[in-house]
Amino acid sequence: TEAEVLSYLERSAKADGSKPSGTIYFMKNSDIRSSTRHDCFAEVADQIRRKAVFAKVVDGVLPNGANDVAGLMTGAATFDLKAANVTIKPGAICDHLTSFGGVLSSNSSQTPLTEFLRAGAAGASGTVAEPHAIQAKFPLPTMQLHYVRGCSLAEAFYQAVTGPYQLLIV
């Protein structure tokens, strides 16, 4: 709703540049949406930790019970943050590498990127047309590293994606 969108913008503006404490989660699972990123997770998490920010590579779709999500990269067409008892910190960037995460209609076959915003994230992305599992069309895990290093949310996204042609970044 319009009221929701305004509240997301206000919350994100207050979090801008605040570098909230928390953990950046990189979720590994057998879904192609996740497995195309696995080779990058450990190194990126290592570099984030060198910046004195917590980062974890975890098996699963969501970090169940995590109340400190400062960033999240997962690969799943559908997910339920409430059922997983996940708390996303204001200012977080979240991404789920889906074919239709940017399709914002009630009959979409996949969880829309707006679920991350509704749960507290400042930014998320999703494609609006079938991009297949072509990594260049989605943000690399380095997006989280760019953000930790002080880039704006938009800068972090655009430095981490080579071909954003079908990608909606919100």
Side-chain angles (χ1 to χ4, degrees):
T1 67
E2 183 178 340
E4 278 183 298
V5 172
L6 290 173
S7 73
Y8 301 160
L9 291 170
E10 289 171 2
R11 181 183 61 221
S12 294
K14 287 178 186 172
D16 189 33
S18 67
K19 296 189 177 186
S21 62
T23 303
I24 297 172
Y25 290 90
F26 298 95
M27 304 304 299
K28 289 177 76 171
N29 59 64
S30 60
D31 193 307
I32 187 72
R33 296 166 180 89
S34 174
S35 63
T36 59
R37 301 178 189 193
H38 291 178
D39 290 344
C40 304
F41 285 170
E43 178 60 30
V44 172
D46 235 16
Q47 289 184 43
I48 289 170
R49 287 190 290 267
R50 287 185 209 139
K51 292 289 185 184
V53 175
F54 294 110
K56 293 181 181 177
V57 179
V58 180
D59 289 330
V61 172
L62 294 172
N64 292 321
N67 62 0
D68 65 342
V69 179
L72 175 64
M73 296 199 86
T74 189
T78 60
F79 58 87
D80 187 338
L81 294 165
K82 283 184 183 181
N85 196 27
V86 171
T87 303
I88 298 176
K89 301 281 225 167
I93 299 177
C94 300
D95 182 62
H96 64 319
L97 187 68
T98 61
S99 300
F100 304 110
V103 176
L104 306 179
S105 63
S106 60
N107 63 348
S108 180
S109 61
Q110 298 180 354
T111 304
L113 66 90
T114 52
E115 286 304 303
F116 288 125
L117 304 179
R118 188 170 276 136
S125 71
T127 56
V128 296
E130 176 58 70
H132 303 288
I134 300 170
Q135 181 56 66
K137 295 184 178 191
F138 299 93
L140 288 167
T142 53
M143 173 181 64
Q144 300 289 350
L145 178 60
H146 294 307
Y147 201 43
V148 165
R149 288 178 173 165
C151 291
S152 71
L153 190 141
E155 290 169 330
F157 264 106
Y158 284 111
Q159 288 182 77
V161 64
T162 306
Y165 310 110
Q166 296 160 307
L167 190 64
L168 176 63
I169 298 171
V170 179

